[in-house]
Amino acid sequence: MLMKSHNSTRTTPQNSTIPKNAELTADQALRKLLAGNHRFVSQKANNPNQSADRLSELSKEQKPFATILGCSDSRVPLEVIFDQGLGDLFVVRVAGNVVTPSELASIEYGVSILQTKVLIVLGHSQCGAVKAALTGGQLIGHLHTLTDLIQPAIARSLRQPGDAINNGVRENILLQTERLRNAPIVAQLLDEKRLQLVGGYFDLKTGEVSILSIATSQQATIRTQGKPVFSRFSRLDGHQPKRMLHLKITNLDSGEYQEVFCAPELNAQTECTIGRGRGCNLVLNGDTIDRIHAKIVVQPEGYCLIDANSRAGCYLNDRKIHPNQLYPLSQSDAIEMGNFFILVHQF
């Protein structure tokens, strides 16, 4: 029996409850943001917590689950791109998402007083402040106070191939996360495992947020790398999907990133196994990943996901799926298994 996936509040067959903002772990907080961005990109936003009742509920106190340092750019409204609402995010915005004393003071309030579990520095493609720092020239008023803070990132990016502005944007995100990591209050919370510091990149063309770095302690920051891994599989009975499957996989514990391209090919294996076992086609290492955790198979309807009776389960678009049943995969679906967040693309 085929069960089509659909967006809903995350539930399990046993109707488990969702942790409130204050109860979320750092890992859960980051998952919540990525899942919200997925809904935004796929045009299935829930627009949560935006009612007058929600505002009344928050009139006495706020319990946001994330602090975000973002750019002032009008095209990057943080509650919108992460599909969150009133009281969910503690937002600090400044052109170029730079760390100044006043921004740092607000961030310290968010992570220490409000006790948000995740701190994100979010830059975006074609940032005007980065472009100004890159091109130089005379700047009006106090704009140089922003570009001066971006210049070290520009110096790092000058010899990199590709788009000069976006290279500068990425290096600036990493530079500002380094500055925050060395701030005493943030550093202490990182070392006490009470905070996760993340560098994120927002693509204005696609709306997607990708993770550039994750710091889980003052000394340890892991930069993600997009190293492609290729896996080819198909059925032998002629069920050939017309589109290649492209999986974007982020390990939310380590920040490691990989992309998998599954191309249909005749006379190949009938399924793609996913798990921590060495014999799996796609190996995901994690304590919450079973030896064979899930499978992707080809059916007449196209690619389908199967939970291979895993202990921690699999989630498709925030909904826990039943073991050993077929769930068709569609463009921009989000899969979660253990500490891995997987975005599905087909082309």
Side-chain angles (χ1 to χ4, degrees), residues 21-24 62-67 90 107-118 189 194-195:
N21 283 351
E23 300 170 352
L24 292 174
Q62 59 173 321
K63 291 290 184 182
F65 67 89
T67 296
F90 187 73
I107 290 168
E108 289 172 341
Y109 180 82
V111 298
S112 62
I113 305 302
L114 298 179
Q115 299 181 356
T116 57
K117 303 303 192 330
V118 63
L189 291 172
R194 294 164 57 192
L195 180 69

Side-chain angles (χ1 to χ4, degrees), residues 1 33 45 63 70 80 128 138 171 176 178 198-199 208 212 226 236 242 246 258 273 301 318 320 339 345:
M1 177 180 179
L33 288 172
K63 291 290 184 182
V80 175
Q138 188 173 2
E171 288 297 336
Q176 305 308 324
E178 289 173 14
V198 177
E208 286 188 11
L212 299 186
L236 302 181
K242 296 180 180 180
H246 179 195
Q258 63 175 316
T273 53
E301 296 80 4
D318 292 334
K320 190 172 185 179
N339 53 311
H345 294 267

Side-chain angles (χ1 to χ4, degrees), residues 1-3 233 235 245 270-275 290 292-299 302-310 313-316 320-329 335-337 342:
M1 177 180 179
L2 291 177
M3 300 183 64
F233 65 97
R235 290 182 62 92
L245 190 67
T270 60
E271 62 187 18
C272 176
T273 53
I274 305 172
D290 287 357
I292 298 180
H293 197 101
K295 300 176 182 179
I296 295 177
V297 300
V298 178
Q299 294 290 300
Y303 294 102
C304 294
L305 175 68
I306 301 175
D307 179 352
N309 203 26
S310 63
C314 295
Y315 291 82
L316 182 60
K320 190 172 185 179
I321 65 176
H322 295 271
N324 302 314
Q325 295 191 23
L326 293 167
Y327 289 79
L329 293 175
I335 302 170
E336 295 179 57
M337 53 183 74
I342 304 171

Side-chain angles (χ1 to χ4, degrees), residues 41-331:
V41 171
S42 57
Q43 299 184 21
K44 298 176 182 178
N46 291 336
N47 301 312
N49 298 330
Q50 297 181 17
S51 66
D53 288 341
R54 172 65 170 176
L55 186 60
S56 177
E57 177 188 349
L58 294 167
S59 61
K60 294 183 179 180
E61 65 173 349
Q62 59 173 321
K63 291 290 184 182
F65 67 89
T67 296
I68 304 180
L69 172 61
C71 183
S72 299
D73 196 296
S74 63
R75 299 166 293 180
V76 194
L78 298 175
E79 283 85 357
V80 175
I81 67 173
F82 285 114
D83 193 26
Q84 302 301 320
L86 296 167
D88 291 330
L89 307 179
F90 187 73
V91 174
V92 181
R93 296 182 68 178
V94 59
N97 43 272
V98 294
V99 179
T100 70
S102 58
E103 272 69 47
L104 180 57
S106 294
I107 290 168
E108 289 172 341
Y109 180 82
V111 298
S112 62
I113 305 302
L114 298 179
Q115 299 181 356
T116 57
K117 303 303 192 330
V118 63
L119 168 59
I120 297 184
V121 177
L122 187 72
H124 65 91
S125 59
Q126 299 302 312
C127 177
V130 172
K131 182 178 180 180
L134 178 67
T135 56
Q138 188 173 2
L139 300 172
I140 63 171
H142 295 81
L143 289 179
H144 68 90
T145 62
L146 298 177
T147 57
D148 288 349
L149 293 170
I150 300 173
Q151 283 297 340
I154 298 300
R156 293 180 185 179
S157 68
L158 286 179
R159 296 185 179 181
Q160 296 176 2
D163 186 275
I165 296 176
N166 291 336
N167 288 341
V169 168
R170 291 185 176 90
E171 288 297 336
N172 184 50
I173 293 166
L174 297 173
L175 174 65
Q176 305 308 324
T177 57
E178 289 173 14
R179 288 173 173 162
L180 287 175
R181 193 178 75 245
N182 292 321
I185 290 177
V186 174
Q188 180 179 347
L189 291 172
L190 287 171
D191 286 339
E192 293 174 355
K193 307 297 183 183
R194 294 164 57 192
L195 180 69
Q196 197 171 62
L197 173 60
V198 177
Y201 175 86
F202 177 67
D203 190 321
L204 288 174
K205 289 185 177 180
T206 66
E208 286 188 11
V209 172
S210 55
I211 303 302
L212 299 186
S213 67
I214 296 179
T216 54
S217 71
Q218 199 273 337
Q219 299 296 328
T221 297
I222 303 170
R223 294 193 184 191
T224 63
Q225 296 180 348
K227 182 179 180 181
V229 178
F230 292 88
S231 173
R232 290 180 170 83
F233 65 97
S234 68
R235 290 182 62 92
L236 302 181
D237 56 7
H239 294 155
Q240 295 293 316
K242 296 180 180 180
R243 309 181 76 184
M244 180 181 290
L245 190 67
H246 179 195
L247 305 179
K248 296 182 177 181
I249 305 168
T250 301
N251 184 330
L252 297 179
D253 286 344
S254 69
E256 292 176 305
Y257 173 82
Q258 63 175 316
E259 298 187 21
V260 177
F261 298 87
C262 301
E265 185 177 275
L266 286 172
N267 300 321
Q269 60 210 66
T270 60
E271 62 187 18
C272 176
T273 53
I274 305 172
R276 57 181 171 82
R278 292 184 178 180
C280 288
N281 305 109
L282 175 57
V283 177
L284 302 179
N285 292 313
D287 294 338
T288 55
I289 299 295
D290 287 357
R291 189 176 63 83
I292 298 180
H293 197 101
K295 300 176 182 179
I296 295 177
V297 300
V298 178
Q299 294 290 300
E301 296 80 4
Y303 294 102
C304 294
L305 175 68
I306 301 175
D307 179 352
N309 203 26
S310 63
R311 292 169 298 168
C314 295
Y315 291 82
L316 182 60
N317 298 328
D318 292 334
R319 188 178 185 86
K320 190 172 185 179
I321 65 176
H322 295 271
N324 302 314
Q325 295 191 23
L326 293 167
Y327 289 79
L329 293 175
S330 302
Q331 179 75 3

